[in-house]
Every structure is written in C-alpha cells, then in structure tokens.
Amino acid sequence: VWLRQLLAIVRTRQGAPAPNRRKRMCMSPSAQLKKGEPGPLTVPWGFAAQLEARPPPGCGWFSVADMLRRTAYSLGLFYYSLATQPLTFSRFALQYNRLWFGGAAGTAMTLLLPATPALLAAVAWGKRLRDYLLPQPGDDWKMAGPGRIWFLPPPSTLASIVYDALTPLADYVAAFVLFGDDPDGVEHTWYDAICKKEYWCGLLDAADARRPLQLGAWDGAALHDVSRGVESGGCDLVCKISDSYLGIGDRVFKRGVDHTHTHNSLSVTHTHTHTHT
C-alpha cells in the first residue's frame, strides 16, 4: 500500500516546477498551507501511518505479541524478496553475508539463503548466551552513547529474545529494500565510506537548508577555523567524529571551562581525534 502511495506522489509531482527553497525556508508551514493540507514540508502517507499506528489488540508496544508481529512482517518481506527477485536478492545476500560474517561463512550462508532468518536468529541467540555465561568487560558501545535509545531491548525477557532474532533480520531486509544489490549500499551497512558528515552537510547546503554552524575542522594535525571560527560566539562547542553516527564519540566543550581560546581547543580536539566543531 505504501509503495502505491509513494508512486502516486511521484507521478503527481513529475513535471512540476521546482519550489522556491529560500522562500520556503523563511516561511512556516502554517503560513503556506491550510491545516492538514499536504505540502512540500510534509509526507502525508508516512506521517499519518506513524500517528495511526497501534499495538496488537490487547497488547502494548514491545510486548511479545508486538515483537512476533514485527518478526512476521520481516519474514514476509524476506521471502517475498526472495521469490520475486531471486537473482538480485542472491547477489545482495552474497555481498552482505561475506561482509558481515567473513568470506567462507558468508558464502556458506548464501548457499543456505532460504534458511537465513533461522541462521541469523541462531547467531543472535548464541551471542546472547555467550554474554550471559561469559560477560564481556567494559561498556557496550551501543549503550554508552546518546544513541542507545535505538538499541534498547524490550523490558520483557521473552520479548527481548524475540527481539534478538528480529533485529538482524529487519536490518537485512531493510538494507535490500533500500538499495538492492548496490555494492556501495552494502558497504555502508558496515562503514560509511561515502556518506560522512561532509557528504550530508554538502547536500543540506546545496538545498539551502538550515543546519548547525560549523566553526572548525581537524585535519589530523591541526585545527582550522571554518566560517566564523571557534573563538566566535558564546555557546559551548560540540565536536563530532566525521564518520560516526547517533552521537557516538561526541564531545562537548564548555566555553570558558574546557577551553578559552584556539590553542586549548587544539589540544583537546587532538586528544580525542574529532574532526568537526
């Protein structure tokens, strides 16, 4: 259904003149549109689906029933993709499996492609058992940063066991839906070789979109001012790693406490190898 709606939106917009981006940035949506009217700043079919989403009858979000329902959706999409695009899906699977599980194991998994959901579940449950019997020292990187909200399991033990099997399968089929067997897309499930912060900032700047002002950049040896420079303004500085995500590796420097001038920013930034300020 959502695919049909998306195609309908694309068809209605084909041939339409490009919107005035600068004007749109200066005007609020309410100044341009009537309440509830679709427009350039809204995605009606996606936003409405989120607002109208409900948990399974008689159950709450992240309950066992909810996790089973989500798993059923992912299973259905997996076998639908395999049945309707067997060659493309097999090429994707070979690349994905070899990247994530190694050459030999990934190739073997691809030969057993119809059993992939069970294999992914077995790997996830094996890791769960290992962590229970042999706890690993140190913090889990998924839980250490502000992006941990994306990795929190359901509170119920049984629901979290289903969640362990769902997560790798959902990632698997979502990747295929997004980019098929494109090699760059598959690579980006492991590491953002192209889509770093410079890439996204470039797209935002090309569209005249608003974004936090960048004041500096670290090239591996020295801090260079960008725009007005790190000495400008009175706000704290947030340093981000160029190829990281979900706030992982972020460092906040209190102005007047952690640094007072460019030299202090240089030394602290060098210590933590951040690339954006």
Side-chain angles (χ1 to χ4, degrees):
V1 173
W2 65 268
L3 281 175
R4 289 198 299 269
Q5 294 173 329
L6 177 60
L7 290 173
I9 292 174
V10 172
R11 292 193 190 100
T12 58
R13 293 187 176 182
Q14 285 179 343
N20 186 326
R21 291 191 177 93
R22 288 191 177 275
K23 182 178 180 180
R24 191 173 67 198
M25 289 301 301
C26 298
M27 297 178 64
S28 67
S30 60
Q32 304 176 65
L33 306 169
K34 296 179 180 178
K35 185 177 181 180
E37 180 183 357
L41 298 180
T42 62
V43 185
W45 54 271
F47 189 60
Q50 295 181 51
L51 292 178
E52 297 169 3
R54 296 293 182 271
C59 304
W61 291 119
F62 304 107
S63 62
V64 175
D66 183 32
M67 291 296 100
L68 289 173
R69 182 176 69 168
R70 297 176 190 228
T71 303
Y73 289 153
S74 296
L75 282 170
L77 185 54
F78 178 92
Y79 289 110
Y80 175 81
S81 301
L82 180 59
T84 58
Q85 303 181 64
L87 294 179
T88 305
F89 194 57
S90 297
R91 289 193 297 268
F92 159 81
L94 181 61
Q95 296 178 75
Y96 189 97
N97 293 341
R98 288 174 63 88
L99 178 63
W100 280 87
F101 302 103
T107 301
M109 284 186 64
T110 307
L111 294 175
L112 300 172
L113 187 55
T116 293
L119 295 175
L120 293 175
V123 171
W125 289 333
K127 291 180 179 177
R128 184 187 183 98
L129 180 61
R130 180 201 63 189
D131 293 341
Y132 176 77
L133 298 176
L134 302 170
Q136 301 296 316
D139 294 332
D140 183 354
W141 68 268
K142 293 180 179 179
M143 298 297 154
R148 62 184 176 274
I149 185 64
W150 296 101
F151 305 105
L152 289 174
S156 162
T157 300
L158 184 56
S160 69
I161 292 175
V162 180
Y163 170 86
D164 286 346
L166 162 65
T167 302
L169 178 61
D171 292 344
Y172 199 96
V173 295
F176 179 71
V177 169
L178 284 172
F179 43 73
D181 62 347
D182 181 79
D184 288 334
V186 175
E187 181 185 9
H188 277 66
T189 65
W190 181 268
Y191 173 69
D192 292 339
I194 298 173
C195 297
K196 302 178 182 180
K197 289 183 173 61
E198 292 85 354
Y199 172 83
W200 296 115
C201 289
L203 292 181
L204 292 171
D205 291 343
D208 294 325
R210 298 183 64 183
R211 65 177 179 89
L213 182 63
Q214 183 178 349
L215 300 178
W218 178 262
D219 65 2
L223 176 65
H224 301 279
D225 282 339
V226 175
S227 182
R228 298 184 306 200
V230 297
E231 295 184 16
S232 65
C235 299
D236 299 335
L237 298 179
V238 179
C239 295
K240 306 184 74 67
I241 300 176
S242 177
D243 55 0
S244 185
Y245 59 100
L246 293 180
I248 297 171
D250 284 6
R251 179 68 184 269
V252 178
F253 297 123
K254 297 291 185 181
R255 191 177 292 272
V257 178
D258 296 322
H259 73 94
T260 55
H261 50 75
T262 305
H263 176 72
N264 285 348
S265 297
L266 255 172
S267 59
V268 178
T269 305
H270 175 71
T271 301
H272 296 275
T273 64
H274 290 70
T275 59
H276 283 76
T277 302

